[in-house]
Amino acid sequence: MMSNPINRRSFLGSSLAATGLSAAAASLSAAEQTAAKTGKTQQPIRNEKILHARQVALDILKPTQKELEHGLELHANSLVFDSYGFAPRAAIDGDKLAAAINDHASTAELQDLREDMSMTRCVTDPAEQREFKEAFDAAGVTCIFQNAGEEGQDPMRLIKRLARFTYTTDMLADFVPKAVTPDDIEQAQKEGRHCLYLTGNGVPLTQQWETTTDEMKYMRIFFQLGIRMMHMTYNRRNMLGDGCAEPANAGLSDFGREVVREMNQLGIIPDVAHSGWQTSLETAQVSEKPMVASHSTCASLHHHIRSKPDNVIKAIVETNGLIGICCIPRYLGGSGDISRLIDHIDYVVKKFGIDHIAIGTDVAYTSRNSTLENKKVPRAPRSRTPWRSLWPPDSFRTTSEMSTSVSWTNWPLFTVGLVQRGYSDEDIQKIIGGNMLRVCRESLS
């Protein structure tokens, strides 16, 4: 694969420097020398938040210098595809949000304003744009399967987030364009750019229930707008099936089966990351194309409603799909850190094969400016638990070290961790991007 001349020196040098290996950081590898000749290098990262996250992860992994250098260079030379995640989030404009609160804006208005600013100020604010680009470059991620549809089925609700990321990719096309085909993703990697491939957290439905064909008509429209993957359910029960938080675990409805068939026809990947186990299993049984649990974990290592048991993973694998392991400590269980993330990857590879695993982080880098801006906003009264979050509590205690070790900008160290576990370069490239790219191709075939 062609190397990325923009990102490599930044995250390779800063990561090596963070371990005290400054001599190694200063001496360029053969690949870096090639990059240097293009004149497209940048200054090493000096973002203390990113460097702190690196150090926390490195203290856990404790790689040798050889493992670290090899992993970072492999990461730099690979197509890296986050199977479900978020582009770096901008800080809000605290003054603007405070003014809206003082002007008695509704809860819905405030939520929309907050979300819009976090997703689009990387375009309009120079400081946020610098932070956005620095985090993206530090992660060395080619493509994110970007959450671009708010949780639910209402097309008007789903289109808002899609519009925000369409705007961002349109306005920052030289840095992070929208990809609409797998070829676009490969081209971005060759050109040393990043890109977003879009997914929605729900299937758009009109809720008119005239005919199944009429009810599914917006699926095609959202596909035409760039959505390439959709959640079957989001935690709760809907007309397609039971979500992961439903104790009944009733499975897929007749209408849900029709939706899976329509997804297959259109080229939309069915995603059961937030679906119940029976819904996930039956989706796999119906789907004639690869489907995924894009950001989940293995129930055999840690039982959680967001994990998947072996029989469900096996069914997903039989569609030629994959499971993406996420970076949420309470879903990972155990140590809840970067080492535990690799444990889940190991489990899938050993049990189901190297072709059916990815990393879907489900976490985002948040601008360092957020703390200051949030202080400007009056404290809101405590609100009711959101509908999507009505699920059983658990006793797992997440620590700062856990969360920091699996920070989104630590993507290069996920690759280092895989090097430590003895994976070949070819197999690592499948895990960090190749498998997800394959699923995307087969979905559109």
Side-chain angles (χ1 to χ4, degrees), residues 370-413:
S370 293
T371 301
L372 178 62
E373 293 299 322
N374 287 334
K375 287 180 179 178
K376 300 176 182 178
V377 182
R379 179 171 293 184
R382 183 167 181 160
S383 60
R384 293 187 178 96
T385 302
W387 171 257
R388 62 179 181 164
S389 300
L390 293 173
W391 61 6
D394 63 64
S395 59
F396 188 88
R397 297 185 65 181
T398 300
T399 68
S400 175
E401 181 184 55
M402 293 175 188
S403 300
T404 303
S405 76
V406 289
S407 296
W408 187 73
T409 51
N410 273 350
W411 251 105
L413 299 186

Short mmCIF file of all heavy atoms in Angstrom, two decimals, residues 370-413:
data_model
loop_
_atom_site.label_atom_id
_atom_site.label_comp_id
_atom_site.label_asym_id
_atom_site.label_seq_id
_atom_site.Cartn_x
_atom_site.Cartn_y
_atom_site.Cartn_z
N SER A 370 -12.99 22.47 25.06
CA SER A 370 -14.33 22.18 25.57
C SER A 370 -14.51 22.58 27.03
O SER A 370 -15.56 23.11 27.42
CB SER A 370 -14.66 20.70 25.39
OG SER A 370 -14.77 20.37 24.04
N THR A 371 -13.50 22.33 27.84
CA THR A 371 -13.63 22.63 29.27
C THR A 371 -13.93 24.10 29.50
O THR A 371 -14.85 24.46 30.25
CB THR A 371 -12.34 22.23 30.01
OG1 THR A 371 -12.11 20.83 29.82
CG2 THR A 371 -12.47 22.51 31.49
N LEU A 372 -13.17 24.97 28.84
CA LEU A 372 -13.36 26.41 28.99
C LEU A 372 -14.73 26.85 28.47
O LEU A 372 -15.44 27.63 29.12
CB LEU A 372 -12.26 27.17 28.25
CG LEU A 372 -12.35 28.70 28.27
CD1 LEU A 372 -12.26 29.21 29.71
CD2 LEU A 372 -11.24 29.30 27.41
N GLU A 373 -15.12 26.34 27.31
CA GLU A 373 -16.40 26.75 26.71
C GLU A 373 -17.58 26.25 27.53
O GLU A 373 -18.59 26.95 27.69
CB GLU A 373 -16.49 26.26 25.27
CG GLU A 373 -15.50 26.91 24.31
CD GLU A 373 -15.72 28.42 24.20
OE1 GLU A 373 -16.88 28.88 24.22
OE2 GLU A 373 -14.70 29.15 24.11
N ASN A 374 -17.49 25.03 28.06
CA ASN A 374 -18.58 24.48 28.84
C ASN A 374 -18.82 25.27 30.13
O ASN A 374 -19.94 25.34 30.64
CB ASN A 374 -18.32 23.01 29.17
CG ASN A 374 -18.49 22.11 27.96
OD1 ASN A 374 -19.22 22.44 27.03
ND2 ASN A 374 -17.81 20.97 27.96
N LYS A 375 -17.75 25.87 30.66
CA LYS A 375 -17.89 26.66 31.89
C LYS A 375 -18.74 27.91 31.69
O LYS A 375 -19.26 28.48 32.65
CB LYS A 375 -16.51 27.05 32.41
CG LYS A 375 -15.73 25.89 33.04
CD LYS A 375 -14.36 26.36 33.53
CE LYS A 375 -13.59 25.21 34.18
NZ LYS A 375 -12.23 25.62 34.63
N LYS A 376 -18.89 28.33 30.45
CA LYS A 376 -19.67 29.53 30.15
C LYS A 376 -21.18 29.26 30.16
O LYS A 376 -21.99 30.20 30.14
CB LYS A 376 -19.28 30.09 28.78
CG LYS A 376 -17.82 30.50 28.65
CD LYS A 376 -17.52 30.94 27.23
CE LYS A 376 -16.05 31.31 27.04
NZ LYS A 376 -15.77 31.70 25.62
N VAL A 377 -21.54 27.99 30.15
CA VAL A 377 -22.95 27.60 29.98
C VAL A 377 -23.61 27.39 31.34
O VAL A 377 -23.09 26.64 32.17
CB VAL A 377 -23.05 26.31 29.14
CG1 VAL A 377 -24.50 25.93 28.93
CG2 VAL A 377 -22.33 26.49 27.80
N PRO A 378 -24.75 28.03 31.61
CA PRO A 378 -25.46 27.80 32.88
C PRO A 378 -25.80 26.32 33.06
O PRO A 378 -26.10 25.62 32.09
CB PRO A 378 -26.75 28.62 32.71
CG PRO A 378 -26.43 29.63 31.66
CD PRO A 378 -25.45 28.99 30.74
N ARG A 379 -25.72 25.86 34.28
CA ARG A 379 -26.01 24.45 34.56
C ARG A 379 -27.49 24.17 34.33
O ARG A 379 -28.37 24.87 34.85
CB ARG A 379 -25.63 24.10 35.99
CG ARG A 379 -25.93 22.66 36.36
CD ARG A 379 -25.35 22.29 37.70
NE ARG A 379 -23.90 22.30 37.67
CZ ARG A 379 -23.13 21.94 38.71
NH1 ARG A 379 -23.70 21.55 39.84
NH2 ARG A 379 -21.81 21.97 38.61
N ALA A 380 -27.76 23.14 33.55
CA ALA A 380 -29.15 22.78 33.25
C ALA A 380 -29.70 21.90 34.37
O ALA A 380 -28.95 21.17 35.03
CB ALA A 380 -29.21 22.03 31.93
N PRO A 381 -31.01 21.95 34.61
CA PRO A 381 -31.59 21.06 35.61
C PRO A 381 -31.46 19.61 35.18
O PRO A 381 -31.37 19.32 33.98
CB PRO A 381 -33.06 21.50 35.65
CG PRO A 381 -33.31 22.16 34.34
CD PRO A 381 -32.01 22.81 33.97
N ARG A 382 -31.45 18.71 36.14
CA ARG A 382 -31.32 17.29 35.82
C ARG A 382 -32.53 16.84 35.01
O ARG A 382 -33.68 17.17 35.34
CB ARG A 382 -31.23 16.47 37.10
CG ARG A 382 -31.01 14.99 36.85
CD ARG A 382 -30.60 14.27 38.10
NE ARG A 382 -30.36 12.86 37.83
CZ ARG A 382 -29.65 12.08 38.61
NH1 ARG A 382 -29.07 12.57 39.69
NH2 ARG A 382 -29.48 10.81 38.32
N SER A 383 -32.28 16.11 33.94
CA SER A 383 -33.36 15.68 33.05
C SER A 383 -33.64 14.19 33.23
O SER A 383 -32.87 13.46 33.86
CB SER A 383 -33.00 15.96 31.59
OG SER A 383 -31.82 15.27 31.24
N ARG A 384 -34.75 13.76 32.66
CA ARG A 384 -35.10 12.35 32.70
C ARG A 384 -34.11 11.53 31.86
O ARG A 384 -33.48 12.05 30.95
CB ARG A 384 -36.51 12.13 32.16
CG ARG A 384 -37.60 12.72 33.04
CD ARG A 384 -38.97 12.31 32.51
NE ARG A 384 -40.03 12.82 33.36
CZ ARG A 384 -40.70 13.95 33.12
NH1 ARG A 384 -40.39 14.67 32.05
NH2 ARG A 384 -41.65 14.35 33.93
N THR A 385 -34.03 10.25 32.17
CA THR A 385 -33.16 9.35 31.39
C THR A 385 -33.68 9.27 29.96
O THR A 385 -34.87 9.03 29.75
CB THR A 385 -33.14 7.95 32.01
OG1 THR A 385 -32.69 8.04 33.36
CG2 THR A 385 -32.22 7.02 31.22
N PRO A 386 -32.83 9.48 28.96
CA PRO A 386 -33.28 9.38 27.57
C PRO A 386 -33.83 7.99 27.25
O PRO A 386 -33.40 6.99 27.83
CB PRO A 386 -31.99 9.65 26.76
CG PRO A 386 -31.08 10.36 27.70
CD PRO A 386 -31.40 9.82 29.06
N TRP A 387 -34.76 7.94 26.35
CA TRP A 387 -35.40 6.69 25.92
C TRP A 387 -34.36 5.65 25.52
O TRP A 387 -34.44 4.48 25.91
CB TRP A 387 -36.33 6.99 24.75
CG TRP A 387 -36.89 5.79 24.05
CD1 TRP A 387 -36.49 5.26 22.86
CD2 TRP A 387 -37.97 4.95 24.51
NE1 TRP A 387 -37.23 4.15 22.54
CE2 TRP A 387 -38.15 3.95 23.54
CE3 TRP A 387 -38.77 4.96 25.64
CZ2 TRP A 387 -39.13 2.96 23.66
CZ3 TRP A 387 -39.75 3.97 25.76
CH2 TRP A 387 -39.92 2.99 24.79
N ARG A 388 -33.37 6.08 24.76
CA ARG A 388 -32.37 5.14 24.24
C ARG A 388 -31.52 4.54 25.37
O ARG A 388 -30.88 3.50 25.17
CB ARG A 388 -31.45 5.83 23.23
CG ARG A 388 -30.67 6.98 23.83
CD ARG A 388 -29.74 7.63 22.82
NE ARG A 388 -29.00 8.71 23.46
CZ ARG A 388 -27.92 9.25 22.95
NH1 ARG A 388 -27.44 8.83 21.81
NH2 ARG A 388 -27.30 10.23 23.57
N SER A 389 -31.48 5.21 26.53
CA SER A 389 -30.59 4.77 27.62
C SER A 389 -31.31 3.99 28.72
O SER A 389 -30.74 3.74 29.77
CB SER A 389 -29.89 5.99 28.24
OG SER A 389 -29.13 6.67 27.27
N LEU A 390 -32.55 3.59 28.46
CA LEU A 390 -33.29 2.80 29.44
C LEU A 390 -32.83 1.35 29.36
O LEU A 390 -33.40 0.52 28.66
CB LEU A 390 -34.80 2.91 29.16
CG LEU A 390 -35.42 4.29 29.41
CD1 LEU A 390 -36.86 4.31 28.93
CD2 LEU A 390 -35.36 4.67 30.89
N TRP A 391 -31.78 1.04 30.08
CA TRP A 391 -31.29 -0.33 30.09
C TRP A 391 -30.75 -0.65 31.48
O TRP A 391 -30.57 0.26 32.31
CB TRP A 391 -30.27 -0.58 28.98
CG TRP A 391 -29.01 0.23 29.01
CD1 TRP A 391 -28.58 1.10 29.96
CD2 TRP A 391 -27.99 0.22 28.00
NE1 TRP A 391 -27.37 1.64 29.62
CE2 TRP A 391 -26.98 1.11 28.42
CE3 TRP A 391 -27.83 -0.46 26.80
CZ2 TRP A 391 -25.83 1.32 27.67
CZ3 TRP A 391 -26.69 -0.23 26.06
CH2 TRP A 391 -25.70 0.65 26.49
N PRO A 392 -30.50 -1.92 31.76
CA PRO A 392 -30.13 -2.31 33.12
C PRO A 392 -28.81 -1.69 33.55
O PRO A 392 -27.84 -1.64 32.77
CB PRO A 392 -30.01 -3.84 33.03
CG PRO A 392 -30.73 -4.23 31.79
CD PRO A 392 -30.60 -3.08 30.85
N PRO A 393 -28.72 -1.23 34.80
CA PRO A 393 -27.43 -0.75 35.31
C PRO A 393 -26.49 -1.92 35.53
O PRO A 393 -26.93 -3.08 35.64
CB PRO A 393 -27.82 -0.09 36.64
CG PRO A 393 -29.05 -0.82 37.08
CD PRO A 393 -29.79 -1.16 35.80
N ASP A 394 -25.20 -1.65 35.53
CA ASP A 394 -24.24 -2.71 35.87
C ASP A 394 -23.24 -2.15 36.88
O ASP A 394 -23.16 -0.94 37.09
CB ASP A 394 -23.55 -3.27 34.63
CG ASP A 394 -22.71 -2.24 33.89
OD1 ASP A 394 -21.72 -1.75 34.48
OD2 ASP A 394 -23.02 -1.93 32.72
N SER A 395 -22.49 -3.05 37.49
CA SER A 395 -21.62 -2.65 38.60
C SER A 395 -20.20 -2.31 38.16
O SER A 395 -19.35 -2.00 39.00
CB SER A 395 -21.58 -3.77 39.64
OG SER A 395 -21.10 -4.97 39.05
N PHE A 396 -19.93 -2.37 36.85
CA PHE A 396 -18.57 -2.12 36.37
C PHE A 396 -18.17 -0.68 36.66
O PHE A 396 -18.93 0.25 36.42
CB PHE A 396 -18.48 -2.40 34.88
CG PHE A 396 -17.07 -2.35 34.33
CD1 PHE A 396 -16.28 -3.48 34.35
CD2 PHE A 396 -16.54 -1.18 33.82
CE1 PHE A 396 -14.97 -3.45 33.85
CE2 PHE A 396 -15.25 -1.13 33.32
CZ PHE A 396 -14.47 -2.27 33.34
N ARG A 397 -16.98 -0.50 37.16
CA ARG A 397 -16.47 0.84 37.47
C ARG A 397 -15.38 1.23 36.46
O ARG A 397 -14.30 0.64 36.44
CB ARG A 397 -15.93 0.90 38.89
CG ARG A 397 -16.99 0.64 39.95
CD ARG A 397 -16.44 0.81 41.35
NE ARG A 397 -16.03 2.19 41.60
CZ ARG A 397 -15.49 2.60 42.76
NH1 ARG A 397 -15.27 1.73 43.73
NH2 ARG A 397 -15.15 3.86 42.91
N THR A 398 -15.67 2.23 35.67
CA THR A 398 -14.72 2.70 34.65
C THR A 398 -13.77 3.71 35.28
O THR A 398 -14.19 4.64 35.95
CB THR A 398 -15.47 3.36 33.49
OG1 THR A 398 -16.35 2.40 32.89
CG2 THR A 398 -14.49 3.86 32.44
N THR A 399 -12.48 3.51 35.05
CA THR A 399 -11.48 4.45 35.55
C THR A 399 -10.97 5.34 34.43
O THR A 399 -11.10 5.01 33.25
CB THR A 399 -10.28 3.71 36.17
OG1 THR A 399 -9.57 3.02 35.12
CG2 THR A 399 -10.73 2.70 37.22
N SER A 400 -10.36 6.44 34.81
CA SER A 400 -9.79 7.36 33.83
C SER A 400 -8.69 6.67 33.02
O SER A 400 -8.57 6.89 31.81
CB SER A 400 -9.22 8.59 34.54
OG SER A 400 -8.57 9.44 33.62
N GLU A 401 -7.90 5.82 33.67
CA GLU A 401 -6.82 5.13 32.95
C GLU A 401 -7.38 4.24 31.86
O GLU A 401 -6.84 4.20 30.73
CB GLU A 401 -6.00 4.28 33.93
CG GLU A 401 -4.85 3.55 33.26
CD GLU A 401 -4.09 2.63 34.20
OE1 GLU A 401 -4.74 1.76 34.82
OE2 GLU A 401 -2.87 2.78 34.31
N MET A 402 -8.47 3.52 32.15
CA MET A 402 -9.08 2.66 31.13
C MET A 402 -9.48 3.48 29.90
O MET A 402 -9.07 3.18 28.77
CB MET A 402 -10.34 1.99 31.70
CG MET A 402 -10.14 1.00 32.79
SD MET A 402 -11.79 0.45 33.38
CE MET A 402 -11.31 -0.51 34.82
N SER A 403 -10.28 4.51 30.14
CA SER A 403 -10.81 5.30 29.04
C SER A 403 -9.71 6.01 28.26
O SER A 403 -9.74 6.06 27.02
CB SER A 403 -11.80 6.34 29.57
OG SER A 403 -12.88 5.71 30.22
N THR A 404 -8.73 6.53 28.97
CA THR A 404 -7.64 7.25 28.32
C THR A 404 -6.80 6.33 27.46
O THR A 404 -6.34 6.71 26.37
CB THR A 404 -6.76 7.96 29.37
OG1 THR A 404 -7.58 8.83 30.14
CG2 THR A 404 -5.66 8.76 28.71
N SER A 405 -6.60 5.10 27.91
CA SER A 405 -5.75 4.16 27.15
C SER A 405 -6.37 3.79 25.81
O SER A 405 -5.64 3.44 24.87
CB SER A 405 -5.50 2.89 27.97
OG SER A 405 -6.63 2.04 28.00
N VAL A 406 -7.70 3.84 25.71
CA VAL A 406 -8.37 3.52 24.44
C VAL A 406 -8.91 4.78 23.77
O VAL A 406 -9.89 4.73 23.03
CB VAL A 406 -9.49 2.47 24.63
CG1 VAL A 406 -8.90 1.10 24.92
CG2 VAL A 406 -10.46 2.88 25.74
N SER A 407 -8.27 5.91 24.03
CA SER A 407 -8.64 7.16 23.36
C SER A 407 -8.55 7.00 21.85
O SER A 407 -7.70 6.25 21.33
CB SER A 407 -7.70 8.30 23.79
OG SER A 407 -7.83 8.58 25.16
N TRP A 408 -9.40 7.75 21.14
CA TRP A 408 -9.44 7.59 19.68
C TRP A 408 -8.10 7.90 19.02
O TRP A 408 -7.70 7.25 18.06
CB TRP A 408 -10.55 8.47 19.09
CG TRP A 408 -10.75 8.22 17.64
CD1 TRP A 408 -11.34 7.13 17.05
CD2 TRP A 408 -10.32 9.07 16.56
NE1 TRP A 408 -11.32 7.25 15.68
CE2 TRP A 408 -10.71 8.43 15.36
CE3 TRP A 408 -9.67 10.30 16.51
CZ2 TRP A 408 -10.45 8.99 14.11
CZ3 TRP A 408 -9.41 10.86 15.27
CH2 TRP A 408 -9.81 10.22 14.08
N THR A 409 -7.38 8.89 19.54
CA THR A 409 -6.09 9.24 18.95
C THR A 409 -5.01 8.19 19.23
O THR A 409 -3.90 8.30 18.71
CB THR A 409 -5.61 10.61 19.45
OG1 THR A 409 -5.66 10.64 20.88
CG2 THR A 409 -6.49 11.73 18.88
N ASN A 410 -5.33 7.18 20.02
CA ASN A 410 -4.38 6.08 20.27
C ASN A 410 -4.47 4.97 19.23
O ASN A 410 -3.85 3.91 19.42
CB ASN A 410 -4.59 5.49 21.67
CG ASN A 410 -3.82 6.24 22.74
OD1 ASN A 410 -2.97 7.08 22.43
ND2 ASN A 410 -4.12 5.97 23.99
N TRP A 411 -5.17 5.20 18.15
CA TRP A 411 -5.26 4.19 17.09
C TRP A 411 -3.90 3.59 16.70
O TRP A 411 -3.78 2.37 16.56
CB TRP A 411 -5.93 4.79 15.86
CG TRP A 411 -7.32 4.30 15.57
CD1 TRP A 411 -8.49 4.95 15.79
CD2 TRP A 411 -7.68 3.04 14.98
NE1 TRP A 411 -9.55 4.19 15.37
CE2 TRP A 411 -9.08 3.01 14.87
CE3 TRP A 411 -6.95 1.94 14.53
CZ2 TRP A 411 -9.78 1.93 14.33
CZ3 TRP A 411 -7.64 0.85 14.00
CH2 TRP A 411 -9.04 0.84 13.90
N PRO A 412 -2.83 4.40 16.54
CA PRO A 412 -1.54 3.79 16.18
C PRO A 412 -1.07 2.75 17.20
O PRO A 412 -0.38 1.79 16.85
CB PRO A 412 -0.59 4.99 16.13
CG PRO A 412 -1.47 6.15 15.84
CD PRO A 412 -2.75 5.87 16.57
N LEU A 413 -1.45 2.95 18.47
CA LEU A 413 -1.02 2.00 19.49
C LEU A 413 -1.87 0.75 19.51
O LEU A 413 -1.45 -0.28 20.03
CB LEU A 413 -1.01 2.68 20.87
CG LEU A 413 -0.05 3.88 20.96
CD1 LEU A 413 0.00 4.41 22.39
CD2 LEU A 413 1.35 3.51 20.49
#
